[in-house]
Amino acid sequence: MEILGHPENRKNALQENLFPNRTFLVAICEDEEQERQALAALVYKWARQWGYTCEVRLFACGEEFLFAYEDDKAYDILLLDMEMGETSGLQVARRVREHGSRAEILFVTSHFEFAGEGYEVDALHYLVKPVEEGKLMEVLSKAAGRLLTEPPSIVITCEGETVKLYEQDIRYVESFGHYIVIHTGDGNYKIKENISAFAEKLGNAFFRTHRSYLVSLQHIIRISRTSITIQGGTELPLARGNYDAVNRAFISYN
């Protein structure tokens, strides 16, 4: 894997007003080095023009990307060659979607007949080689627009992997000493973190019902004097004196 970077760009006033400051993590998976470098140069040119910062990671084959992806799943944009050696861009995209990634996927191909295959992985666009600069700029801006309106998320490191969790998928957080367990509909994540510090990283959709529990207001289905019930039927303790406060927060959020 090759990682490319560039200095933070200076934005003019118009760009600052129209486009929020955002750093994008971009992967380019292409088996021809000249193509990889050309695509990377265009991605950075786009970022400079629109006032974004980005980190581009280059991969020479699908296997190389998937190996790195096991440790870091926080990619925002994937530029994937459809026709690579043993593991095609489509196969890479399928694996990424299996992990629940909402990254924007752009396929690069020499043949139009592959275009229909991207629907199953919710690909944003197909770019035909040689990739036209203006078209790539247009599609990257569309990808950025979709990413900037995506649900709030948080990036965690769990068991050696970097994982992006969307706040709407978190049902509750449970504290065990110096660790917390983040409970989602798709699984649980245990990390070394203080629950108070973790709560500060989240938005206003969460309420501290107890010293050991942080609950998503979105997932509450019942509130009693002594407990909270969330989707899935899990019942969690409600600290004495928090009944009125959690009711106010729940009504205000919904």
Side-chain angles (χ1 to χ4, degrees):
M1 176 183 71
E2 184 179 355
I3 300 177
L4 303 179
H6 67 80
E8 184 174 348
N9 303 300
R10 183 174 298 174
K11 304 183 288 291
N12 62 41
L14 178 61
Q15 289 172 326
E16 286 183 336
N17 288 335
L18 292 179
F19 299 94
N21 186 30
R22 169 69 189 268
T23 299
F24 295 107
L25 180 57
V26 181
I28 298 176
C29 197
E30 161 66 61
D31 57 4
E32 296 182 18
E33 182 176 1
Q34 187 174 353
E35 292 280 351
R36 285 198 304 275
Q37 298 294 337
L39 287 170
L42 290 177
V43 170
Y44 282 131
K45 184 175 181 179
W46 164 78
R48 286 193 298 271
Q49 286 185 357
W50 295 110
Y52 297 121
T53 57
C54 63
E55 178 184 330
V56 177
R57 299 179 183 175
L58 305 183
F59 302 89
C61 63
E63 296 88 344
E64 184 183 2
F65 170 79
L66 290 173
F67 181 79
Y69 188 74
E70 288 299 316
D71 293 329
D72 190 346
K73 297 180 174 64
Y75 289 91
D76 297 299
I77 299 173
L78 306 179
L79 274 159
L80 305 176
D81 183 7
M82 283 291 288
E83 304 141 76
M84 295 182 292
E86 295 183 5
T87 306
S88 70
L90 182 60
Q91 290 172 307
V92 169
R94 285 172 178 156
R95 290 280 297 278
V96 167
R97 291 297 190 231
E98 286 172 3
H99 284 280
S101 171
R102 302 187 191 185
E104 295 297 331
I105 296 176
L106 315 179
F107 284 123
V108 180
T109 180
S110 300
H111 305 285
F112 282 107
E113 60 264 28
F114 287 116
E117 299 182 22
Y119 291 110
E120 64 180 280
V121 293
D122 190 28
L124 175 62
H125 202 84
Y126 277 80
L127 297 160
V128 180
K129 296 181 181 180
V131 176
E132 181 186 343
E133 176 179 327
K135 189 62 180 178
L136 178 59
M137 298 285 190
E138 176 187 334
V139 176
L140 286 171
S141 292
K142 184 176 180 180
R146 289 172 54 155
L147 289 164
L148 289 169
T149 57
E150 72 174 357
S153 63
I154 186 169
V155 176
I156 64 169
T157 300
C158 180
E159 297 181 352
E161 294 185 5
T162 302
V163 182
K164 177 190 278 188
L165 296 179
Y166 289 88
E167 291 188 7
Q168 65 186 20
D169 296 331
I170 299 174
R171 293 183 176 181
Y172 68 100
V173 180
E174 189 174 9
S175 174
F176 295 96
H178 297 295
Y179 291 84
I180 60 172
V181 176
I182 305 164
H183 297 262
T184 76
D186 296 324
N188 304 328
Y189 301 86
K190 184 177 181 179
I191 63 174
K192 191 173 184 179
E193 177 74 277
N194 177 277
I195 193 169
S196 296
F198 187 76
E200 292 178 0
K201 300 175 183 178
L202 300 173
N204 60 3
F206 294 85
F207 187 89
R208 188 79 173 271
T209 59
H210 183 277
R211 66 180 181 179
S212 298
Y213 292 94
L214 181 67
V215 177
S216 168
L217 296 168
Q218 176 182 347
H219 292 287
I220 292 176
I221 59 175
R222 181 174 179 272
I223 302 173
S224 75
R225 289 282 176 182
T226 58
S227 66
I228 297 286
T229 305
I230 62 169
Q231 290 176 3
T234 301
E235 189 172 321
L236 304 173
L238 178 62
R240 182 180 300 178
N242 274 353
Y243 177 75
D244 290 338
V246 72
N247 268 291
R248 288 194 298 269
F250 179 74
I251 293 170
S252 176
Y253 177 79
N254 291 281

